[in-house]
Amino acid sequence: MTDKQPFNIEFVAKLLLKRELISEDQYKDIIIKGGAQRARLQKHQESSHARRGLHVYETVSPAEVISSFNLEVQGKNGKILTEDAISAAIGEEVGIKYLKIDPLKLNLDTVTSYISRPFAQKYMVIPVSEESGVVTIAVADPFDLEAVQDLQRTKKIKVNIVLSSKSDIMKIVREFYGFRSSVIEAQKEMAPSIDISNLEQYVRLKAHAEIEATDQHVVNAVEYLLQYAFDQKASDIHIEPKRDSSHVRLRIDGVLHYIHKIPKTVHLPIVSRIKMLSRMDIAEKRKPQDGRIKTNYKGKEIELRVSTMPVAFGEKVVIRIFDPEILLQELDQIGFYPREYQLFNSFIRRPNGIILVTGPTGSGKTTTLYSALKMLSSPDVNIITVEDPIEMVMEEFNQVGVQPAIGVTFANSLRTILRQDPDIIMVGEIRDKETADNAVQAALTGHLVLSTLHTNDAPSSITRLLDLGIPSFLISSTLIGIIAQRLVRKICTHCAKERFLTEEEIIHLQLPAKKFKVSYGEGCVECRGTGYKGRTGVFEVMDISERVQGLISDNVSMTALQEAAKAGGMLTIRQCAIRKMLEGITTYEEVVGITG
């Protein structure tokens, strides 16, 4: 492989200088300050471990020390020299392939079955994959391979060595071994019991579930799972019971990723623990339940909305993660073009009337509404919301949660709200005639009402209100504007490439017959090989102009409404998505995915 030589700050700094990633001045600065910086990082790391009750000694790597200086890469327009970039350069220098570890692509059993946690921590190595009898092991130090060679001899396995950053390796050691050891210990302590997770009914003592739910190993397993989801910027966690095991999946940028398989005996205690945290009835397993958890991650509050539902093999749990940085954004940051932003901004500044936001589940309607309310919020305005359930608790608003079981519905909550001296009312969803009637009455009596509807585009919201039984003259006199929206994934800026649309693609999108240059993501370590990173909104903003008002009648045609809206300058969702594609923000596949 490689000859043994000192793997220190000076060696790494020299190779970075040789590869022109740093300048001569930066090299000298690293040599002078490197020792003191390393000592500071070591002390910080040890105190961090002590706070978490970990008795582990980790050597700070040369790449960690150099990356902590936040040096700019030469000739890369302000790009910072990261630990990953340094590790990749080391790999090229010593002839070992560099691998950016993607936790979503690791198999829990592969990672944890070949070596013990103390071994992985001591030598900073981790198995990352197994194929055709060859185990790929990631190492942090390319010159200290004795431990891997010993492993190869004792385990009688073929080993392929790759280089990864020490931070990535130790993060996997903590998360994977921590989760696995917690699950295994919990499994050992679960008394054998009758499996009630199939459709047959069995009698079982209630106290057993309560004991399981307070087991320390289960507590740790849930803690590891939540932290892992936060780290991956997941929007949802799915815990799904199957016949012989349970599967854990995370939704990231709108796509579900399979993460873990856990033993069936541990599923019930994990569900019970989550129920306890979200103040649900842990003894009730036959009915769906909803709850919420408020927690802290990296200094910011995060809300979790928990839903349980009985399925064929037990209770399925879905935890929705509400990150304030995503849910509460500035209106001009969520994807509006200037015309659409100015129109929507003018809608929400009106003293009274109805504004509708439409789109399917998961299209970002809540983000749009909350961002608008945040912009309108001030000490001299009374904002009241009626939601099912409350998406995120905000002190600036007066929020009411719908509870049909005790008669608290959208409709009767709206009636009560009108006696609470509101200025702005947000109704989670207009589902029936009674709610629609009350929303119209609120608008007629001088209130601004924001709500959602489930329709495919903006013009069809008018026909939906007519279907609900709202008279056409009331719709034309109260409706201010309609926003239909979708979410598209954004191309990863680190691996964006260009290509021309094919003739078939141009015909499919009904574009004029000429060449169109578009972008796509090739896949890289920053986007986990997906080619996408983050999402943005695609908006269809319809102004209820005098021309549109004149068309609203009981027998109005959708075509007439669409033509009137387009004549007023409305971009359809398809047109907006195509524009984002031609600007290099999203891909052809995403445009087709949301518009058909």
Side-chain angles (χ1 to χ4, degrees):
M1 292 262 182
T2 54
D3 296 325
K4 181 70 176 174
Q5 55 179 295
F7 183 53
N8 54 27
I9 295 170
E10 186 179 356
F11 169 80
V12 176
K14 273 183 182 174
L15 82 85
L16 293 175
L17 179 63
K18 173 185 164 186
R19 291 177 167 270
E20 298 181 345
L21 290 170
I22 59 173
S23 65
E24 189 74 43
D25 288 340
Q26 288 173 327
Y27 169 76
K28 290 174 183 174
D29 206 38
I30 291 168
I31 298 302
I32 293 167
K33 298 177 181 176
Q37 181 74 346
R38 182 175 196 151
R40 274 195 295 272
L41 291 175
Q42 191 74 56
K43 187 176 180 181
H44 174 75
Q45 194 175 81
E46 287 168 11
S47 62
S48 175
H49 286 340
R51 280 197 305 273
R52 289 183 289 168
L54 300 173
H55 305 289
V56 179
Y57 180 81
E58 288 179 21
T59 306
V60 176
S61 72
E64 282 181 295
V65 176
I66 296 172
S67 67
S68 70
F69 287 110
N70 292 319
L71 302 172
E72 285 190 14
V73 181
Q74 297 301 293
K76 293 288 186 180
N77 298 324
K79 190 174 181 182
I80 300 298
L81 188 62
T82 63
E83 188 183 351
D84 287 324
I86 296 167
S87 300
I90 295 167
E92 286 181 22
E93 181 72 17
V94 301
I96 298 179
K97 182 184 175 185
Y98 169 73
L99 174 72
K100 171 65 178 174
I101 299 176
D102 181 358
L104 299 179
K105 292 179 179 173
L106 298 185
N107 181 286
L108 184 66
D109 291 331
T110 302
V111 171
T112 57
S113 59
Y114 285 101
I115 60 177
S116 67
R117 183 176 187 167
F119 186 95
Q121 284 175 331
K122 182 178 179 181
Y123 296 105
M124 292 184 290
V125 298
I126 199 82
V128 290
S129 65
E130 180 186 11
E131 192 172 345
S132 304
V134 179
V135 180
T136 299
I137 294 184
V139 302
D141 183 346
F143 302 119
D144 186 10
L145 303 178
E146 288 178 19
V148 177
Q149 288 158 0
D150 288 343
L151 182 71
Q152 191 169 1
R153 284 193 297 270
T154 55
K155 293 277 187 180
K156 294 182 173 57
I157 54 174
K158 291 181 181 176
V159 169
N160 173 42
I161 293 175
V162 295
L163 185 69
S164 294
S165 70
K166 180 228 161 181
S167 295
D168 277 359
I169 290 173
M170 299 315 291
K171 189 175 182 181
I172 295 301
V173 170
R174 285 191 291 273
E175 291 180 347
F176 276 60
Y177 281 93
F179 181 78
R180 181 178 173 82
S181 62
S182 298
V183 168
I184 288 172
E185 291 303 315
Q187 186 182 14
K188 286 178 185 175
E189 295 187 7
M190 294 304 113
S193 57
I194 297 170
D195 180 12
I196 64 160
S197 61
N198 286 309
L199 297 174
E200 296 87 353
Q201 180 67 44
Y202 290 95
V203 177
R204 185 173 186 170
L205 293 176
K206 182 166 66 177
H208 186 59
E210 293 169 353
I211 294 166
E212 289 175 354
T214 57
D215 178 79
Q216 187 60 43
H217 301 299
V218 173
V219 172
N220 290 341
V222 172
E223 185 78 16
Y224 279 117
L225 187 57
L226 292 177
Q227 291 289 340
Y228 184 65
F230 299 156
D231 284 342
Q232 302 306 316
K233 296 188 175 359
S235 61
D236 300 86
I237 305 169
H238 291 241
I239 303 171
E240 304 168 323
K242 305 300 179 186
R243 188 180 299 278
D244 302 313
S245 60
S246 286
H247 295 176
V248 179
R249 296 195 288 171
L250 299 184
R251 188 178 294 280
I252 302 168
D253 285 340
V255 179
L256 276 171
H257 298 265
Y258 173 80
I259 302 298
H260 293 310
K261 183 163 79 170
I262 57 178
K264 194 59 182 285
T265 52
V266 184
H267 176 81
L268 178 62
I270 283 179
V271 171
S272 296
R273 173 62 182 166
I274 293 168
K275 282 181 166 183
M276 285 181 70
L277 290 172
S278 51
R279 298 181 180 181
M280 294 184 194
D281 181 357
I282 65 171
E284 179 56 76
K285 298 174 179 63
R286 300 163 300 168
K287 295 178 183 176
Q289 294 188 68
D290 290 298
R292 57 195 326 125
I293 304 167
K294 196 162 194 170
T295 187
N296 188 284
Y297 175 68
K298 291 186 177 176
K300 63 183 179 183
E301 283 190 346
I302 288 184
E303 291 225 9
L304 310 175
R305 203 173 75 206
V306 184
S307 170
T308 66
M309 183 177 69
V311 293
F313 299 109
E315 278 185 289
K316 176 179 174 178
V317 178
V318 175
I319 304 172
R320 173 154 285 190
I321 301 166
F322 290 104
D323 186 338
E325 288 183 6
I326 295 170
L327 196 61
L328 292 168
Q329 298 182 55
E330 296 299 325
L331 269 183
D332 57 356
Q333 299 297 310
I334 62 177
F336 282 112
Y337 282 119
R339 174 197 172 271
E340 281 67 30
Y341 172 72
Q342 288 163 9
L343 256 183
F344 185 49
N345 202 23
S346 72
F347 293 166
I348 62 176
R349 301 295 174 184
R350 298 275 281 272
N352 59 280
I354 297 174
I355 302 166
L356 294 176
V357 181
T358 79
T361 302
S363 60
K365 300 189 297 294
T366 302
T367 298
T368 303
L369 287 172
Y370 269 66
S371 299
L373 292 179
K374 182 189 175 188
M375 181 180 275
L376 295 170
S377 177
S378 69
D380 56 346
V381 174
N382 180 18
I383 298 175
I384 304 181
T385 74
V386 193
E387 303 169 69
D388 181 19
I390 295 170
E391 298 281 6
M392 186 167 181
V393 177
M394 298 295 300
E395 287 187 11
E396 298 97 317
F397 318 148
N398 298 291
Q399 295 168 288
V400 178
V402 168
Q403 299 179 68
I406 58 171
V408 181
T409 63
F410 279 120
N412 58 29
S413 294
L414 259 176
R415 283 197 298 270
T416 305
I417 282 170
L418 290 174
R419 297 193 289 274
Q420 289 281 316
D421 186 30
D423 295 297
I424 299 166
I425 301 168
M426 194 268 271
V427 184
E429 186 185 345
I430 293 177
R431 298 175 180 171
D432 51 43
K433 184 179 187 302
E434 193 179 3
T435 306
D437 281 335
N438 282 297
V440 168
Q441 287 305 312
L444 287 171
T445 51
H447 304 91
L448 183 65
V449 180
L450 291 83
S451 188
T452 69
L453 267 181
H454 281 292
T455 58
N456 289 325
D457 56 22
S460 59
S461 297
I462 293 172
T463 56
R464 173 71 180 139
L465 290 175
L466 289 168
D467 290 342
L468 286 172
I470 307 300
S472 56
F473 72 92
L474 287 180
I475 296 173
S476 60
S477 59
T478 57
L479 198 57
I480 299 170
I482 306 165
I483 298 91
Q485 68 178 82
R486 300 288 188 279
L487 289 176
V488 291
R489 288 184 290 172
K490 293 194 291 186
I491 297 167
C492 173
T493 54
H494 296 88
C495 62
K497 301 288 180 186
E498 290 186 332
R499 70 176 181 91
F500 286 100
L501 286 179
T502 65
E503 189 178 336
E504 292 79 8
E505 289 169 342
I506 291 170
I507 293 168
H508 183 76
L509 294 178
Q510 298 176 336
L511 295 172
K514 65 174 186 176
K515 283 194 170 184
F516 289 96
K517 190 180 281 186
V518 295
S519 298
Y520 68 97
E522 198 172 42
C524 66
V525 295
E526 295 289 336
C527 60
R528 303 186 183 88
T530 63
Y532 298 99
K533 194 171 185 183
R535 290 191 290 177
T536 187
V538 175
F539 299 93
E540 177 178 291
V541 181
M542 181 177 177
D543 180 21
I544 307 301
S545 61
E546 287 185 10
R547 180 173 177 178
V548 174
Q549 284 178 335
L551 289 172
I552 298 174
S553 63
D554 291 342
N555 56 359
V556 64
S557 76
M558 273 290 296
T559 306
L561 286 172
Q562 286 170 340
E563 291 304 318
K566 286 178 186 175
M570 183 188 83
L571 274 182
T572 65
I573 283 177
R574 190 182 188 88
Q575 288 170 332
C576 186
I578 289 171
R579 182 172 167 182
K580 286 188 185 279
M581 175 191 72
L582 296 176
E583 289 173 356
I585 296 170
T586 192
T587 62
Y588 168 81
E589 289 74 19
E590 284 291 289
V591 173
V592 172
I594 65 158
T595 64

